Amino acid sequence: MGLLKTVVKGVVVAKVVQVAARELSKPENQQRIRDGLSRLGKTAGTH
């Protein structure tokens, strides 16, 4: 049963990575990430 759980976890992680890679390849999501990092940098710089 332990081997089955390990295999299922591996499949789930692989699918999550696949979906994340697909979403990160979209230009609108890349812009959102840049904007978020910029805001985070400004916030961190003020402290």
Side-chain angles (χ1 to χ4, degrees):
M1 195 65 177
L3 179 61
L4 181 61
K5 283 184 178 182
T6 303
V7 170
V8 170
K9 284 181 186 178
V11 170
V12 169
V13 168
K15 186 63 178 175
V16 168
V17 168
Q18 182 182 35
V19 170
R22 184 175 50 221
E23 289 300 314
L24 290 174
S25 69
K26 294 180 181 178
E28 62 272 16
N29 290 338
Q30 291 174 358
Q31 186 61 46
R32 284 186 194 141
I33 291 169
R34 278 190 220 104
D35 292 345
L37 289 176
S38 175
R39 273 185 267 139
L40 183 64
K42 289 177 185 176
T43 302
T46 60
H47 290 286

